[in-house]
PDB file of all heavy atoms in Angstrom:
ATOM      1  N   ASP A   1       0.826  -1.206   0.000  1.00 98.00           N
ATOM      2  CA  ASP A   1       0.000   0.000   0.000  1.00 98.00           C
ATOM      3  C   ASP A   1       0.863   1.260   0.000  1.00 98.00           C
ATOM      4  O   ASP A   1       0.565   2.239  -0.699  1.00 98.00           O
ATOM      5  CB  ASP A   1      -0.923  -0.001   1.213  1.00 98.00           C
ATOM      6  CG  ASP A   1      -2.025  -1.060   1.111  1.00 98.00           C
ATOM      7  OD1 ASP A   1      -2.247  -1.564  -0.006  1.00 98.00           O
ATOM      8  OD2 ASP A   1      -2.632  -1.378   2.146  1.00 98.00           O
ATOM      9  N   GLU A   2       1.945   1.230   0.769  1.00 97.00           N
ATOM     10  CA  GLU A   2       2.853   2.386   0.818  1.00 97.00           C
ATOM     11  C   GLU A   2       3.524   2.603  -0.538  1.00 97.00           C
ATOM     12  O   GLU A   2       3.670   3.743  -0.996  1.00 97.00           O
ATOM     13  CB  GLU A   2       3.901   2.155   1.897  1.00 97.00           C
ATOM     14  CG  GLU A   2       4.876   3.303   2.073  1.00 97.00           C
ATOM     15  CD  GLU A   2       5.920   3.008   3.133  1.00 97.00           C
ATOM     16  OE1 GLU A   2       5.713   2.078   3.940  1.00 97.00           O
ATOM     17  OE2 GLU A   2       6.951   3.708   3.152  1.00 97.00           O
ATOM     18  N   VAL A   3       3.916   1.533  -1.194  1.00 98.00           N
ATOM     19  CA  VAL A   3       4.515   1.633  -2.529  1.00 98.00           C
ATOM     20  C   VAL A   3       3.509   2.233  -3.511  1.00 98.00           C
ATOM     21  O   VAL A   3       3.847   3.097  -4.324  1.00 98.00           O
ATOM     22  CB  VAL A   3       4.986   0.245  -3.009  1.00 98.00           C
ATOM     23  CG1 VAL A   3       5.261   0.249  -4.508  1.00 98.00           C
ATOM     24  CG2 VAL A   3       6.233  -0.181  -2.250  1.00 98.00           C
ATOM     25  N   ALA A   4       2.267   1.768  -3.434  1.00 98.00           N
ATOM     26  CA  ALA A   4       1.236   2.272  -4.343  1.00 98.00           C
ATOM     27  C   ALA A   4       1.029   3.771  -4.154  1.00 98.00           C
ATOM     28  O   ALA A   4       0.948   4.533  -5.135  1.00 98.00           O
ATOM     29  CB  ALA A   4      -0.069   1.515  -4.112  1.00 98.00           C
ATOM     30  N   ARG A   5       0.960   4.221  -2.913  1.00 98.00           N
ATOM     31  CA  ARG A   5       0.784   5.656  -2.658  1.00 98.00           C
ATOM     32  C   ARG A   5       1.964   6.456  -3.193  1.00 98.00           C
ATOM     33  O   ARG A   5       1.795   7.501  -3.833  1.00 98.00           O
ATOM     34  CB  ARG A   5       0.614   5.904  -1.163  1.00 98.00           C
ATOM     35  CG  ARG A   5      -0.742   5.500  -0.605  1.00 98.00           C
ATOM     36  CD  ARG A   5      -0.951   6.043   0.790  1.00 98.00           C
ATOM     37  NE  ARG A   5       0.017   5.502   1.738  1.00 98.00           N
ATOM     38  CZ  ARG A   5      -0.177   4.396   2.440  1.00 98.00           C
ATOM     39  NH1 ARG A   5      -1.295   3.693   2.291  1.00 98.00           N
ATOM     40  NH2 ARG A   5       0.751   3.975   3.286  1.00 98.00           N
ATOM     41  N   ALA A   6       3.180   5.968  -2.951  1.00 97.00           N
ATOM     42  CA  ALA A   6       4.376   6.686  -3.398  1.00 97.00           C
ATOM     43  C   ALA A   6       4.452   6.757  -4.916  1.00 97.00           C
ATOM     44  O   ALA A   6       4.962   7.740  -5.476  1.00 97.00           O
ATOM     45  CB  ALA A   6       5.625   6.012  -2.838  1.00 97.00           C
ATOM     46  N   ALA A   7       3.948   5.736  -5.584  1.00 97.00           N
ATOM     47  CA  ALA A   7       4.010   5.683  -7.050  1.00 97.00           C
ATOM     48  C   ALA A   7       2.792   6.332  -7.706  1.00 97.00           C
ATOM     49  O   ALA A   7       2.745   6.443  -8.936  1.00 97.00           O
ATOM     50  CB  ALA A   7       4.128   4.231  -7.509  1.00 97.00           C
ATOM     51  N   GLY A   8       1.799   6.737  -6.909  1.00 97.00           N
ATOM     52  CA  GLY A   8       0.589   7.310  -7.466  1.00 97.00           C
ATOM     53  C   GLY A   8      -0.265   6.283  -8.178  1.00 97.00           C
ATOM     54  O   GLY A   8      -0.947   6.587  -9.158  1.00 97.00           O
ATOM     55  N   LEU A   9      -0.242   5.049  -7.667  1.00 98.00           N
ATOM     56  CA  LEU A   9      -0.971   3.944  -8.278  1.00 98.00           C
ATOM     57  C   LEU A   9      -1.855   3.269  -7.241  1.00 98.00           C
ATOM     58  O   LEU A   9      -1.738   3.529  -6.037  1.00 98.00           O
ATOM     59  CB  LEU A   9       0.018   2.912  -8.844  1.00 98.00           C
ATOM     60  CG  LEU A   9       1.036   3.390  -9.879  1.00 98.00           C
ATOM     61  CD1 LEU A   9       2.109   2.316 -10.078  1.00 98.00           C
ATOM     62  CD2 LEU A   9       0.347   3.707 -11.201  1.00 98.00           C
ATOM     63  N   THR A  10      -2.729   2.399  -7.696  1.00 98.00           N
ATOM     64  CA  THR A  10      -3.455   1.535  -6.781  1.00 98.00           C
ATOM     65  C   THR A  10      -2.614   0.282  -6.527  1.00 98.00           C
ATOM     66  O   THR A  10      -1.730  -0.052  -7.329  1.00 98.00           O
ATOM     67  CB  THR A  10      -4.809   1.115  -7.371  1.00 98.00           C
ATOM     68  OG1 THR A  10      -4.576   0.273  -8.514  1.00 98.00           O
ATOM     69  CG2 THR A  10      -5.626   2.329  -7.785  1.00 98.00           C
ATOM     70  N   PRO A  11      -2.868  -0.432  -5.428  1.00 98.00           N
ATOM     71  CA  PRO A  11      -2.139  -1.691  -5.209  1.00 98.00           C
ATOM     72  C   PRO A  11      -2.281  -2.665  -6.370  1.00 98.00           C
ATOM     73  O   PRO A  11      -1.307  -3.329  -6.748  1.00 98.00           O
ATOM     74  CB  PRO A  11      -2.774  -2.237  -3.925  1.00 98.00           C
ATOM     75  CG  PRO A  11      -3.206  -1.010  -3.187  1.00 98.00           C
ATOM     76  CD  PRO A  11      -3.686  -0.069  -4.254  1.00 98.00           C
ATOM     77  N   ASP A  12      -3.477  -2.739  -6.955  1.00 98.00           N
ATOM     78  CA  ASP A  12      -3.672  -3.643  -8.095  1.00 98.00           C
ATOM     79  C   ASP A  12      -2.825  -3.221  -9.291  1.00 98.00           C
ATOM     80  O   ASP A  12      -2.327  -4.074 -10.046  1.00 98.00           O
ATOM     81  CB  ASP A  12      -5.147  -3.687  -8.502  1.00 98.00           C
ATOM     82  CG  ASP A  12      -5.985  -4.514  -7.540  1.00 98.00           C
ATOM     83  OD1 ASP A  12      -5.403  -5.283  -6.755  1.00 98.00           O
ATOM     84  OD2 ASP A  12      -7.228  -4.381  -7.578  1.00 98.00           O
ATOM     85  N   GLU A  13      -2.658  -1.913  -9.487  1.00 98.00           N
ATOM     86  CA  GLU A  13      -1.828  -1.433 -10.601  1.00 98.00           C
ATOM     87  C   GLU A  13      -0.356  -1.767 -10.363  1.00 98.00           C
ATOM     88  O   GLU A  13       0.368  -2.109 -11.309  1.00 98.00           O
ATOM     89  CB  GLU A  13      -2.020   0.070 -10.781  1.00 98.00           C
ATOM     90  CG  GLU A  13      -3.367   0.441 -11.386  1.00 98.00           C
ATOM     91  CD  GLU A  13      -3.628   1.934 -11.394  1.00 98.00           C
ATOM     92  OE1 GLU A  13      -3.103   2.639 -10.505  1.00 98.00           O
ATOM     93  OE2 GLU A  13      -4.358   2.398 -12.282  1.00 98.00           O
ATOM     94  N   VAL A  14       0.084  -1.683  -9.112  1.00 98.00           N
ATOM     95  CA  VAL A  14       1.465  -2.074  -8.790  1.00 98.00           C
ATOM     96  C   VAL A  14       1.667  -3.557  -9.095  1.00 98.00           C
ATOM     97  O   VAL A  14       2.665  -3.952  -9.714  1.00 98.00           O
ATOM     98  CB  VAL A  14       1.793  -1.781  -7.309  1.00 98.00           C
ATOM     99  CG1 VAL A  14       3.154  -2.389  -6.937  1.00 98.00           C
ATOM    100  CG2 VAL A  14       1.796  -0.281  -7.040  1.00 98.00           C
ATOM    101  N   ILE A  15       0.710  -4.374  -8.681  1.00 98.00           N
ATOM    102  CA  ILE A  15       0.809  -5.817  -8.927  1.00 98.00           C
ATOM    103  C   ILE A  15       0.846  -6.093 -10.422  1.00 98.00           C
ATOM    104  O   ILE A  15       1.649  -6.909 -10.901  1.00 98.00           O
ATOM    105  CB  ILE A  15      -0.360  -6.557  -8.260  1.00 98.00           C
ATOM    106  CG1 ILE A  15      -0.260  -6.448  -6.741  1.00 98.00           C
ATOM    107  CG2 ILE A  15      -0.389  -8.029  -8.692  1.00 98.00           C
ATOM    108  CD1 ILE A  15      -1.500  -6.950  -6.003  1.00 98.00           C
ATOM    109  N   ALA A  16       0.014  -5.400 -11.182  1.00 98.00           N
ATOM    110  CA  ALA A  16      -0.025  -5.621 -12.633  1.00 98.00           C
ATOM    111  C   ALA A  16       1.294  -5.239 -13.287  1.00 98.00           C
ATOM    112  O   ALA A  16       1.789  -5.951 -14.177  1.00 98.00           O
ATOM    113  CB  ALA A  16      -1.171  -4.825 -13.245  1.00 98.00           C
ATOM    114  N   LEU A  17       1.878  -4.116 -12.860  1.00 97.00           N
ATOM    115  CA  LEU A  17       3.161  -3.693 -13.430  1.00 97.00           C
ATOM    116  C   LEU A  17       4.276  -4.662 -13.065  1.00 97.00           C
ATOM    117  O   LEU A  17       5.177  -4.925 -13.862  1.00 97.00           O
ATOM    118  CB  LEU A  17       3.522  -2.287 -12.938  1.00 97.00           C
ATOM    119  CG  LEU A  17       2.779  -1.113 -13.568  1.00 97.00           C
ATOM    120  CD1 LEU A  17       3.164   0.186 -12.863  1.00 97.00           C
ATOM    121  CD2 LEU A  17       3.087  -1.013 -15.053  1.00 97.00           C
ATOM    122  N   HIS A  18       4.201  -5.194 -11.850  1.00 98.00           N
ATOM    123  CA  HIS A  18       5.268  -6.082 -11.374  1.00 98.00           C
ATOM    124  C   HIS A  18       5.155  -7.476 -11.977  1.00 98.00           C
ATOM    125  O   HIS A  18       6.171  -8.111 -12.297  1.00 98.00           O
ATOM    126  CB  HIS A  18       5.230  -6.173  -9.851  1.00 98.00           C
ATOM    127  CG  HIS A  18       6.388  -6.901  -9.251  1.00 98.00           C
ATOM    128  ND1 HIS A  18       6.296  -8.199  -8.791  1.00 98.00           N
ATOM    129  CD2 HIS A  18       7.688  -6.521  -9.067  1.00 98.00           C
ATOM    130  CE1 HIS A  18       7.471  -8.577  -8.330  1.00 98.00           C
ATOM    131  NE2 HIS A  18       8.338  -7.589  -8.481  1.00 98.00           N
ATOM    132  N   SER A  19       3.922  -7.958 -12.151  1.00 97.00           N
ATOM    133  CA  SER A  19       3.733  -9.345 -12.590  1.00 97.00           C
ATOM    134  C   SER A  19       3.463  -9.468 -14.084  1.00 97.00           C
ATOM    135  O   SER A  19       3.450 -10.590 -14.609  1.00 97.00           O
ATOM    136  CB  SER A  19       2.562  -9.971 -11.820  1.00 97.00           C
ATOM    137  OG  SER A  19       1.349  -9.287 -12.097  1.00 97.00           O
ATOM    138  N   GLY A  20       3.258  -8.352 -14.769  1.00 93.00           N
ATOM    139  CA  GLY A  20       2.932  -8.420 -16.192  1.00 93.00           C
ATOM    140  C   GLY A  20       4.087  -8.884 -17.057  1.00 93.00           C
ATOM    141  O   GLY A  20       4.104 -10.022 -17.552  1.00 93.00           O
ATOM    142  N   PRO A  21       5.101  -8.038 -17.277  1.00 93.00           N
ATOM    143  CA  PRO A  21       6.230  -8.451 -18.126  1.00 93.00           C
ATOM    144  C   PRO A  21       7.170  -9.392 -17.380  1.00 93.00           C
ATOM    145  O   PRO A  21       7.188  -9.446 -16.145  1.00 93.00           O
ATOM    146  CB  PRO A  21       6.920  -7.120 -18.436  1.00 93.00           C
ATOM    147  CG  PRO A  21       6.565  -6.227 -17.297  1.00 93.00           C
ATOM    148  CD  PRO A  21       5.207  -6.652 -16.827  1.00 93.00           C
ATOM    149  N   ARG A  22       7.939 -10.146 -18.139  1.00 94.00           N
ATOM    150  CA  ARG A  22       8.959 -10.999 -17.527  1.00 94.00           C
ATOM    151  C   ARG A  22      10.136 -10.160 -17.045  1.00 94.00           C
ATOM    152  O   ARG A  22      10.408  -9.089 -17.588  1.00 94.00           O
ATOM    153  CB  ARG A  22       9.443 -12.059 -18.519  1.00 94.00           C
ATOM    154  CG  ARG A  22       8.431 -13.165 -18.749  1.00 94.00           C
ATOM    155  CD  ARG A  22       9.008 -14.329 -19.514  1.00 94.00           C
ATOM    156  NE  ARG A  22       8.080 -15.455 -19.524  1.00 94.00           N
ATOM    157  CZ  ARG A  22       8.034 -16.390 -18.587  1.00 94.00           C
ATOM    158  NH1 ARG A  22       8.888 -16.344 -17.572  1.00 94.00           N
ATOM    159  NH2 ARG A  22       7.168 -17.368 -18.655  1.00 94.00           N
ATOM    160  N   SER A  23      10.819 -10.656 -16.028  1.00 95.00           N
ATOM    161  CA  SER A  23      11.973  -9.973 -15.450  1.00 95.00           C
ATOM    162  C   SER A  23      13.200 -10.860 -15.585  1.00 95.00           C
ATOM    163  O   SER A  23      13.130 -12.072 -15.370  1.00 95.00           O
ATOM    164  CB  SER A  23      11.738  -9.665 -13.965  1.00 95.00           C
ATOM    165  OG  SER A  23      10.601  -8.843 -13.798  1.00 95.00           O
ATOM    166  N   MET A  24      14.307 -10.260 -15.927  1.00 93.00           N
ATOM    167  CA  MET A  24      15.556 -11.002 -16.102  1.00 93.00           C
ATOM    168  C   MET A  24      16.311 -11.090 -14.774  1.00 93.00           C
ATOM    169  O   MET A  24      16.375 -10.123 -14.019  1.00 93.00           O
ATOM    170  CB  MET A  24      16.430 -10.297 -17.140  1.00 93.00           C
ATOM    171  CG  MET A  24      17.814 -10.904 -17.304  1.00 93.00           C
ATOM    172  SD  MET A  24      18.758  -9.998 -18.555  1.00 93.00           S
ATOM    173  CE  MET A  24      20.419 -10.603 -18.206  1.00 93.00           C
ATOM    174  N   VAL A  25      16.871 -12.261 -14.493  1.00 94.00           N
ATOM    175  CA  VAL A  25      17.772 -12.404 -13.350  1.00 94.00           C
ATOM    176  C   VAL A  25      19.155 -11.916 -13.785  1.00 94.00           C
ATOM    177  O   VAL A  25      19.815 -12.547 -14.617  1.00 94.00           O
ATOM    178  CB  VAL A  25      17.856 -13.867 -12.866  1.00 94.00           C
ATOM    179  CG1 VAL A  25      18.819 -13.977 -11.679  1.00 94.00           C
ATOM    180  CG2 VAL A  25      16.472 -14.382 -12.486  1.00 94.00           C
ATOM    181  N   PHE A  26      19.569 -10.779 -13.257  1.00 93.00           N
ATOM    182  CA  PHE A  26      20.858 -10.216 -13.639  1.00 93.00           C
ATOM    183  C   PHE A  26      22.011 -10.898 -12.907  1.00 93.00           C
ATOM    184  O   PHE A  26      23.069 -11.140 -13.494  1.00 93.00           O
ATOM    185  CB  PHE A  26      20.899  -8.715 -13.316  1.00 93.00           C
ATOM    186  CG  PHE A  26      20.188  -7.857 -14.319  1.00 93.00           C
ATOM    187  CD1 PHE A  26      18.833  -7.611 -14.202  1.00 93.00           C
ATOM    188  CD2 PHE A  26      20.870  -7.301 -15.390  1.00 93.00           C
ATOM    189  CE1 PHE A  26      18.169  -6.822 -15.119  1.00 93.00           C
ATOM    190  CE2 PHE A  26      20.215  -6.510 -16.315  1.00 93.00           C
ATOM    191  CZ  PHE A  26      18.860  -6.270 -16.184  1.00 93.00           C
ATOM    192  N   MET A  27      21.807 -11.189 -11.620  1.00 92.00           N
ATOM    193  CA  MET A  27      22.927 -11.700 -10.837  1.00 92.00           C
ATOM    194  C   MET A  27      22.413 -12.274  -9.527  1.00 92.00           C
ATOM    195  O   MET A  27      21.272 -12.060  -9.135  1.00 92.00           O
ATOM    196  CB  MET A  27      23.935 -10.578 -10.545  1.00 92.00           C
ATOM    197  CG  MET A  27      23.336  -9.400  -9.781  1.00 92.00           C
ATOM    198  SD  MET A  27      24.550  -8.141  -9.305  1.00 92.00           S
ATOM    199  CE  MET A  27      25.339  -8.935  -7.903  1.00 92.00           C
ATOM    200  N   LEU A  28      23.293 -13.036  -8.869  1.00 93.00           N
ATOM    201  CA  LEU A  28      23.088 -13.482  -7.498  1.00 93.00           C
ATOM    202  C   LEU A  28      24.133 -12.794  -6.643  1.00 93.00           C
ATOM    203  O   LEU A  28      25.306 -12.732  -7.016  1.00 93.00           O
ATOM    204  CB  LEU A  28      23.215 -14.999  -7.374  1.00 93.00           C
ATOM    205  CG  LEU A  28      22.309 -15.863  -8.258  1.00 93.00           C
ATOM    206  CD1 LEU A  28      22.598 -17.346  -8.002  1.00 93.00           C
ATOM    207  CD2 LEU A  28      20.841 -15.563  -7.998  1.00 93.00           C
ATOM    208  N   GLY A  29      23.720 -12.280  -5.491  1.00 89.00           N
ATOM    209  CA  GLY A  29      24.690 -11.591  -4.646  1.00 89.00           C
ATOM    210  C   GLY A  29      24.120 -11.302  -3.280  1.00 89.00           C
ATOM    211  O   GLY A  29      22.957 -11.608  -2.994  1.00 89.00           O
ATOM    212  N   PHE A  30      24.923 -10.713  -2.424  1.00 90.00           N
ATOM    213  CA  PHE A  30      24.574 -10.334  -1.054  1.00 90.00           C
ATOM    214  C   PHE A  30      24.519 -11.553  -0.147  1.00 90.00           C
ATOM    215  O   PHE A  30      25.060 -11.542   0.952  1.00 90.00           O
ATOM    216  CB  PHE A  30      23.261  -9.550  -1.005  1.00 90.00           C
ATOM    217  CG  PHE A  30      22.834  -9.121   0.374  1.00 90.00           C
ATOM    218  CD1 PHE A  30      23.624  -8.264   1.117  1.00 90.00           C
ATOM    219  CD2 PHE A  30      21.651  -9.583   0.927  1.00 90.00           C
ATOM    220  CE1 PHE A  30      23.239  -7.871   2.391  1.00 90.00           C
ATOM    221  CE2 PHE A  30      21.251  -9.199   2.193  1.00 90.00           C
ATOM    222  CZ  PHE A  30      22.054  -8.331   2.925  1.00 90.00           C
ATOM    223  N   ALA A  31      23.832 -12.616  -0.587  1.00 93.00           N
ATOM    224  CA  ALA A  31      23.747 -13.863   0.168  1.00 93.00           C
ATOM    225  C   ALA A  31      23.523 -14.980  -0.839  1.00 93.00           C
ATOM    226  O   ALA A  31      23.052 -14.740  -1.954  1.00 93.00           O
ATOM    227  CB  ALA A  31      22.595 -13.813   1.176  1.00 93.00           C
ATOM    228  N   PRO A  32      23.851 -16.228  -0.504  1.00 93.00           N
ATOM    229  CA  PRO A  32      23.652 -17.335  -1.441  1.00 93.00           C
ATOM    230  C   PRO A  32      22.206 -17.422  -1.916  1.00 93.00           C
ATOM    231  O   PRO A  32      21.272 -17.447  -1.109  1.00 93.00           O
ATOM    232  CB  PRO A  32      24.048 -18.565  -0.623  1.00 93.00           C
ATOM    233  CG  PRO A  32      25.010 -18.045   0.398  1.00 93.00           C
ATOM    234  CD  PRO A  32      24.508 -16.681   0.746  1.00 93.00           C
ATOM    235  N   GLY A  33      22.024 -17.449  -3.245  1.00 94.00           N
ATOM    236  CA  GLY A  33      20.696 -17.564  -3.813  1.00 94.00           C
ATOM    237  C   GLY A  33      19.890 -16.290  -3.846  1.00 94.00           C
ATOM    238  O   GLY A  33      18.721 -16.302  -4.241  1.00 94.00           O
ATOM    239  N   HIS A  34      20.484 -15.170  -3.465  1.00 96.00           N
ATOM    240  CA  HIS A  34      19.787 -13.881  -3.414  1.00 96.00           C
ATOM    241  C   HIS A  34      19.780 -13.274  -4.813  1.00 96.00           C
ATOM    242  O   HIS A  34      20.780 -12.757  -5.293  1.00 96.00           O
ATOM    243  CB  HIS A  34      20.519 -12.959  -2.432  1.00 96.00           C
ATOM    244  CG  HIS A  34      19.770 -11.720  -2.063  1.00 96.00           C
ATOM    245  ND1 HIS A  34      19.816 -10.574  -2.820  1.00 96.00           N
ATOM    246  CD2 HIS A  34      18.969 -11.445  -1.007  1.00 96.00           C
ATOM    247  CE1 HIS A  34      19.082  -9.633  -2.232  1.00 96.00           C
ATOM    248  NE2 HIS A  34      18.554 -10.140  -1.140  1.00 96.00           N
ATOM    249  N   ALA A  35      18.622 -13.369  -5.494  1.00 95.00           N
ATOM    250  CA  ALA A  35      18.525 -12.975  -6.906  1.00 95.00           C
ATOM    251  C   ALA A  35      18.137 -11.511  -7.048  1.00 95.00           C
ATOM    252  O   ALA A  35      17.295 -10.998  -6.311  1.00 95.00           O
ATOM    253  CB  ALA A  35      17.505 -13.855  -7.614  1.00 95.00           C
ATOM    254  N   TYR A  36      18.755 -10.847  -8.028  1.00 96.00           N
ATOM    255  CA  TYR A  36      18.410  -9.476  -8.410  1.00 96.00           C
ATOM    256  C   TYR A  36      17.782  -9.522  -9.800  1.00 96.00           C
ATOM    257  O   TYR A  36      18.390 -10.020 -10.748  1.00 96.00           O
ATOM    258  CB  TYR A  36      19.650  -8.594  -8.436  1.00 96.00           C
ATOM    259  CG  TYR A  36      20.229  -8.280  -7.076  1.00 96.00           C
ATOM    260  CD1 TYR A  36      21.023  -9.207  -6.407  1.00 96.00           C
ATOM    261  CD2 TYR A  36      19.980  -7.061  -6.457  1.00 96.00           C
ATOM    262  CE1 TYR A  36      21.559  -8.929  -5.157  1.00 96.00           C
ATOM    263  CE2 TYR A  36      20.520  -6.761  -5.207  1.00 96.00           C
ATOM    264  CZ  TYR A  36      21.302  -7.698  -4.563  1.00 96.00           C
ATOM    265  OH  TYR A  36      21.829  -7.422  -3.324  1.00 96.00           O
ATOM    266  N   LEU A  37      16.558  -8.976  -9.923  1.00 96.00           N
ATOM    267  CA  LEU A  37      15.810  -9.045 -11.171  1.00 96.00           C
ATOM    268  C   LEU A  37      15.355  -7.655 -11.612  1.00 96.00           C
ATOM    269  O   LEU A  37      15.208  -6.747 -10.811  1.00 96.00           O
ATOM    270  CB  LEU A  37      14.578  -9.931 -11.028  1.00 96.00           C
ATOM    271  CG  LEU A  37      14.764 -11.366 -10.542  1.00 96.00           C
ATOM    272  CD1 LEU A  37      14.601 -11.477  -9.037  1.00 96.00           C
ATOM    273  CD2 LEU A  37      13.739 -12.283 -11.208  1.00 96.00           C
ATOM    274  N   GLY A  38      15.088  -7.508 -12.894  1.00 92.00           N
ATOM    275  CA  GLY A  38      14.584  -6.250 -13.438  1.00 92.00           C
ATOM    276  C   GLY A  38      14.602  -6.354 -14.962  1.00 92.00           C
ATOM    277  O   GLY A  38      14.773  -7.440 -15.517  1.00 92.00           O
ATOM    278  N   VAL A  39      14.473  -5.207 -15.645  1.00 91.00           N
ATOM    279  CA  VAL A  39      14.291  -3.885 -15.094  1.00 91.00           C
ATOM    280  C   VAL A  39      12.807  -3.558 -15.199  1.00 91.00           C
ATOM    281  O   VAL A  39      12.196  -3.737 -16.250  1.00 91.00           O
ATOM    282  CB  VAL A  39      15.112  -2.856 -15.884  1.00 91.00           C
ATOM    283  CG1 VAL A  39      14.900  -1.461 -15.333  1.00 91.00           C
ATOM    284  CG2 VAL A  39      16.594  -3.207 -15.884  1.00 91.00           C
ATOM    285  N   HIS A  40      12.190  -3.020 -14.120  1.00 94.00           N
ATOM    286  CA  HIS A  40      10.767  -2.793 -14.100  1.00 94.00           C
ATOM    287  C   HIS A  40      10.387  -1.438 -14.701  1.00 94.00           C
ATOM    288  O   HIS A  40      11.237  -0.593 -14.978  1.00 94.00           O
ATOM    289  CB  HIS A  40      10.262  -2.882 -12.654  1.00 94.00           C
ATOM    290  CG  HIS A  40      10.501  -4.208 -12.011  1.00 94.00           C
ATOM    291  ND1 HIS A  40      10.207  -5.395 -12.638  1.00 94.00           N
ATOM    292  CD2 HIS A  40      11.025  -4.543 -10.804  1.00 94.00           C
ATOM    293  CE1 HIS A  40      10.518  -6.405 -11.845  1.00 94.00           C
ATOM    294  NE2 HIS A  40      11.033  -5.910 -10.732  1.00 94.00           N
ATOM    295  N   ASP A  41       9.083  -1.254 -14.849  1.00 94.00           N
ATOM    296  CA  ASP A  41       8.526  -0.004 -15.366  1.00 94.00           C
ATOM    297  C   ASP A  41       9.033   1.180 -14.533  1.00 94.00           C
ATOM    298  O   ASP A  41       9.226   1.072 -13.318  1.00 94.00           O
ATOM    299  CB  ASP A  41       6.996  -0.080 -15.307  1.00 94.00           C
ATOM    300  CG  ASP A  41       6.324   1.067 -16.025  1.00 94.00           C
ATOM    301  OD1 ASP A  41       6.283   2.183 -15.463  1.00 94.00           O
ATOM    302  OD2 ASP A  41       5.815   0.855 -17.143  1.00 94.00           O
ATOM    303  N   GLU A  42       9.222   2.315 -15.185  1.00 95.00           N
ATOM    304  CA  GLU A  42       9.712   3.517 -14.516  1.00 95.00           C
ATOM    305  C   GLU A  42       8.815   3.920 -13.345  1.00 95.00           C
ATOM    306  O   GLU A  42       9.284   4.530 -12.377  1.00 95.00           O
ATOM    307  CB  GLU A  42       9.809   4.669 -15.530  1.00 95.00           C
ATOM    308  CG  GLU A  42      10.290   5.988 -14.964  1.00 95.00           C
ATOM    309  CD  GLU A  42      11.708   5.921 -14.414  1.00 95.00           C
ATOM    310  OE1 GLU A  42      12.537   5.182 -14.970  1.00 95.00           O
ATOM    311  OE2 GLU A  42      11.974   6.628 -13.408  1.00 95.00           O
TER     312      GLU A  42
END
C-alpha cells in the first residue's frame, strides 16, 4: 500500500506492473541464492 501511494498507483496497478512483463535475473549476490531481477517499469 505504501509503494502504491508513493508511485501514485493503486495496489492492483502495482501488482499488474510487477507481474505483467517478464523480469531477467541479472545476478546473485549479497547472500547465497539472493537474486536481483529487473528492469521494471519507470
Side-chain angles (χ1 to χ4, degrees):
D1 290 344
E2 182 182 343
V3 165
R5 286 192 297 270
L9 302 167
T10 67
D12 284 344
E13 287 172 331
V14 171
I15 294 170
L17 284 174
H18 188 257
S19 63
R22 286 191 171 272
S23 300
M24 174 180 165
V25 179
F26 281 87
M27 59 175 283
L28 304 179
F30 180 62
H34 192 274
Y36 289 79
L37 305 93
V39 179
H40 299 313
D41 189 283
E42 179 63 34

